[in-house]
Amino acid sequence: MTAVLLLNIACLLTFCLPLAELCKLAIHPKAPIVEFGGSVKLNCTSTCTNYTKMDWEVSFERDVQEGEGWISLNIKNVTEWTTQPLCVAKFKGSGSIHTRAVIYVYQFSNPDIYLASEIESGHSDKIICNISSLRVRDQILPNVNISLSRGAILLNSSHGEPSLEYSFVPNLIRDDKTEIICMAQVEVGSEVLNKSATRTLNVVASPYNVSVLANPMMYKADAKIVVKCEAEGKPFPEFSWDLPSNSSVEYSNNIQILTIHPAQSFHNGTYRCLARNIYGTKSAQIDILFQERSRSWIAAVVVVALLAVVFTGGIFWYHCRK
Ligand SMILES: *[C@@H]1O[C@H](CO)[C@@H](O)[C@H](O)[C@H]1NC(C)=O
Ligand SMILES: *[C@@H]1O[C@H](CO)[C@@H](O)[C@H](O)[C@H]1NC(C)=O
Ligand SMILES: *[C@@H]1O[C@H](CO)[C@@H](O)[C@H](O)[C@H]1NC(C)=O
C-alpha cells in the first residue's frame, strides 16, 4: 500500500505530472443535445502531441477518426440515455489525462390538442394538451412548461407535467372559430426547446334568442297581418308554427315569416313559433287579438243617432219657442 503510494508520488514528481500538466484536452461540442436515435460527432483536441495514444472510451462500438492532436467520435444512432463519452490521452509510463462529454439525449414529441369535433355552446367541456413522449437523459419528468391559450388570452398553464387540461363552458360568440394554441417548452442541457400545436374551435348552439313579432297585434276583419319569428343558433334553425287557423296564411323567408290576408275572427289566438336544429328546439309565442268592427260601428251609429235626436230636438224646441 505504502509502496504503491510512494511509487505514485515518485511518478507524479518525475515525468507524469509535468507531461500531464503541460497538456490539456478539449471536446467540442462539450454538452451536445441530441434527439434519441439521432447522430452526433464529437471532436477531442489536445494542446500537445507528445502523448503515446489518444482515444475515446465508450460502452458501444467506436467509430473514430484521428489526426495529429485530435480524435473524433461519430455516434450515428444515440440510443443510450445517459452516454458520457470519455476522451483520454496516455503518456509514456502510466500517466494519462482525460475529459468527458455529456450528451443530452432527449425525446420531445409535438404537443397534441384533444377537443371534441363539435363543442356545444353552454355545455361544459374541456381541452387537453398532451406531450405523448417526453424525456431528457434520465429525467422522466424534465423541466417542462405547457400553456394553453385562445388567441392571445392565456387559459391555463402547468409546470413539470407532460399534460395540461382546461375546463370551460363554451360560448358561441366568444369561442367559435377561435384558435387554441398549446405551447410547450423543455429544458435540455443549456437550451430550451419549443414546440406548439394549434386547433380551431368549432362551437355549435341549440336555438336561442327566439322571439315572435306581429304587426299589427290587434286587428279588425280583412286586415293584413305579418308575423315574424326570429332566432339564433348554429346551425341556423329551421322554423315551424302552431297556429289557431291555417286558412289564408302564407309563409315566406323559409317559414320565418307568415302573412295573414285577409284576417278573420278565426285568426284570433296564440301564434307559436318553433325554432329547431339538431341540438334542440326552442319556441316563442304571441297573442294576436281580433277586435270586432261591428261593436264600434254600432256605437258610432248610436252616437250619430243620439246627436241627430238632440239636434232635431233642439231645432224643434227653438221653433216651438217662437
Ligand atoms: C417554466 O416556468 C418556470 C416558472 O415560470 C421557469 O422558472 C422555468 O425556467 C420554465 N421552464 C422552461 C423550460 O421554460
Ligand atoms: C340574445 O340577444 C342579445 C342581443 O341581441 C344578446 O345580448 C344576448 O346575449 C342574446 N342571448 C343569448 C342567450 O345569447
Ligand atoms: C282571442 O284569443 C285570445 C287568446 O289568444 C283569447 O283570450 C280571446 O278570447 C280570443 N278572442 C276571441 C274573440 O276569440
Side-chain angles (χ1 to χ4, degrees):
M1 183 70 192
T2 327
V4 172
L5 212 70
L6 282 174
L7 205 77
N8 271 341
I9 290 166
C11 164
L12 285 172
L13 289 177
T14 54
F15 57 84
C16 309
L17 186 64
L19 277 178
E21 259 199 345
L22 284 172
C23 202
K24 290 227 155 53
L25 295 179
I27 298 174
H28 186 81
K30 177 83 176 158
I33 72 170
V34 185
E35 202 163 352
F36 188 83
S39 66
V40 65
K41 192 171 184 178
L42 304 174
N43 193 22
C44 183
T45 53
S46 161
T47 54
C48 64
T49 49
N50 58 349
Y51 50 80
T52 50
K53 184 160 178 59
M54 227 177 135
D55 208 355
W56 281 101
E57 285 183 8
V58 286
S59 55
F60 44 85
E61 204 179 322
R62 291 151 54 260
D63 171 8
V64 299
Q65 278 180 301
E66 57 191 309
E68 194 160 279
W70 63 270
I71 182 164
S72 68
L73 173 70
N74 201 11
I75 312 175
K76 285 209 187 71
N77 186 357
V78 180
T79 51
E80 271 182 32
W81 286 100
T82 55
T83 313
Q84 295 192 29
L86 189 72
C87 175
V88 188
K90 290 192 173 116
F91 295 89
K92 223 182 265 166
S94 57
S96 75
I97 55 173
H98 64 262
T99 188
R100 204 180 273 285
V102 177
I103 301 179
Y104 284 88
V105 185
Y106 72 92
Q107 222 166 26
F108 178 23
S109 62
N110 268 324
D112 293 307
I113 299 175
Y114 296 96
L115 47 85
S117 60
E118 280 175 352
I119 289 175
E120 200 176 337
S121 189
H123 291 63
S124 58
D125 214 312
K126 63 185 170 189
I127 303 173
I128 296 168
C129 180
N130 181 55
I131 303 166
S132 58
S133 84
L134 179 65
R135 181 171 171 174
V136 177
R137 284 179 66 82
D138 47 355
Q139 292 170 271
I140 302 296
L141 272 183
N143 183 358
V144 58
N145 289 347
I146 308 180
S147 69
L148 265 172
S149 355
R150 182 184 58 236
I153 298 154
L154 179 70
L155 303 174
N156 199 8
S157 64
S158 74
H159 176 70
E161 300 285 339
S163 178
L164 176 63
E165 197 174 299
Y166 172 66
S167 297
F168 71 128
V169 178
N171 177 294
L172 182 70
I173 292 155
R174 184 195 61 201
D175 295 320
D176 192 32
K177 301 276 171 277
T178 56
E179 292 229 300
I180 295 295
I181 304 151
C182 177
M183 287 196 282
Q185 278 120 36
V186 176
E187 189 182 51
V188 183
S190 58
E191 289 185 37
V192 173
L193 304 181
N194 282 286
K195 281 189 178 176
S196 66
T198 303
R199 291 275 304 268
T200 302
L201 282 183
N202 180 21
V203 183
V204 295
S206 62
Y208 65 99
N209 265 0
V210 183
S211 64
V212 187
L213 302 162
N215 187 22
M217 280 177 66
M218 292 188 205
Y219 70 98
K220 298 194 174 75
D222 298 334
K224 178 179 175 181
I225 308 170
V226 177
V227 192
K228 187 172 184 194
C229 186
E230 299 202 70
E232 290 170 62
K234 194 188 157 198
F236 191 72
E238 287 179 358
F239 297 87
S240 62
W241 295 84
D242 273 349
L243 305 178
S245 164
N246 274 322
S247 56
S248 64
V249 168
E250 257 180 46
Y251 295 100
S252 59
N253 203 15
N254 281 325
I255 320 190
Q256 223 180 323
I257 295 175
L258 67 85
T259 308
I260 308 161
H261 194 220
Q264 301 302 325
S265 62
F266 56 76
H267 290 115
N268 175 79
T270 302
Y271 286 69
R272 199 156 88 97
C273 161
L274 292 98
R276 185 192 320 260
N277 68 15
I278 55 168
Y279 301 101
T281 303
K282 202 156 186 189
S283 68
Q285 63 188 50
I286 198 168
D287 284 345
I288 296 178
L289 301 176
F290 176 65
Q291 292 179 308
E292 275 180 64
R293 192 198 292 268
S294 53
R295 256 181 225 157
S296 52
W297 184 76
I298 288 167
V301 166
V302 167
V303 167
V304 167
L306 277 175
L307 281 174
V309 166
V310 167
F311 187 70
T312 5
I315 290 172
F316 187 70
W317 180 72
Y318 179 78
H319 280 283
C320 286
R321 287 266 313 259
K322 271 191 168 176

